[in-house]
Amino acid sequence: NAGVTQTPKFRVLKTGQSMTLLCAQDMNHEYMYWYRQDPGMGLRLIHYSVGEGTTAKGEVPDGYNVSRLKKQNFLLGLESAAPSQTSVYFCASSYALAGPTDTQYFGPGTRLTVL
Amino acid sequence: AQSVAQPEDQVNVAEGNPLTVKCTYSVSGNPYLFWYVQYPNRGLQFLLKYITGDNLVKGSYGFEAEFNKSQTSFHLKKPSALVSDSALYFCAVRDKAYNTDKLIFGTGTRLQVFP
C-alpha cells in the first residue's frame, strides 16, 4: 500500500515550457486535490476532483489544468510555465471528510522551479 | 466562507516545557477542524480532528487540541515538548458544499523546540 505518490520529485523548467505532474493513489479514494505551498501562504487549493471524470477549480486555478481519466490518477498540467509557478506542489486524496478518522492523505510533494 | 487563522508564524519552546500552537476559526454551521504536521521535505501528516462531542481531542504523537466554541479557537497542545516535534503545523477547516468536500488551511506555524 503505497498511499499517495507523486512524479517527479523535482523539476526545473524554463519560462514557457510545459509539463505534467502525476499523482497516484491506491486507497480507492473518490476525492483528489492539488495544492501549492509557498512560504507564508500555507497550502492553497489549485484544482480538485470529486470522482473519475470530474474536475473543479480551487482557490488559485489560473495557469493550470487537470484531468482525472482514471480514479486512481490525478494529473496537473502547466501549459506555459511562469516564474510565479515556482512552488512545492502537493497532491492529496480522501473519502468524504465526515467521519472521526476521515482525513486527506498527502503525497511527498514536487518541487518545481521555473527560471 | 469558512476560514482559519494561525496568528503566530513561529513558536519557540524549550524541550520538556508545554507547547501551544494557536488556531482560530470562522465557519457557518458546526466546524470540522483538523491539525496536520509537516516535517522538512515531507507531505502533511494528520494529527487529529474535531467533529463534535468532547472539547479535548487527543491525537498522534502525544498531541491534543482544545475546541473552544465561545472563543472560536482550536489550539494544539502538548504537555512536554520534544526536539523532534520541531516542524510546521497547519490548522484546517472542512468546507462542505454541494458536490465538494475540501479543506481550507491556515498559513502554518513553525514550531521550534530547543534542547
Side-chain angles (χ1 to χ4, degrees), chain A:
Chain A
N1 189 334
V4 180
T5 58
Q6 292 183 232
T7 309
K9 288 184 170 50
F10 304 93
R11 186 72 186 268
V12 178
L13 291 178
K14 295 181 180 178
T15 296
Q17 288 185 319
S18 63
M19 77 163 294
T20 300
L21 284 67
L22 171 63
C23 176
Q25 53 97 3
D26 60 3
M27 295 173 281
N28 203 34
H29 287 157
E30 291 294 331
Y31 296 84
M32 295 189 75
Y33 315 83
W34 275 108
Y35 295 92
R36 59 177 290 173
Q37 182 180 20
D38 302 290
M41 305 288 286
L43 270 74
R44 293 182 292 169
L45 183 64
I46 304 171
H47 286 280
Y48 63 99
S49 169
V50 300
E52 182 179 319
T54 75
T55 62
K57 294 180 180 179
E59 182 185 356
V60 288
D62 293 343
Y64 305 95
N65 57 76
V66 288
S67 64
R68 183 118 180 252
L69 299 180
K70 293 183 178 180
K71 186 176 185 178
Q72 63 267 33
N73 295 338
F74 195 30
L75 278 63
L76 178 71
L78 286 73
E79 289 187 348
S80 180
S84 60
Q85 295 177 304
T86 294
S87 188
V88 181
Y89 291 85
F90 287 99
C91 177
S93 71
S94 73
Y95 296 115
L97 297 171
T101 58
D102 290 330
T103 179
Q104 289 185 5
Y105 293 83
F106 283 80
T110 295
R111 187 173 297 274
L112 175 65
T113 301
V114 182
L115 303 175

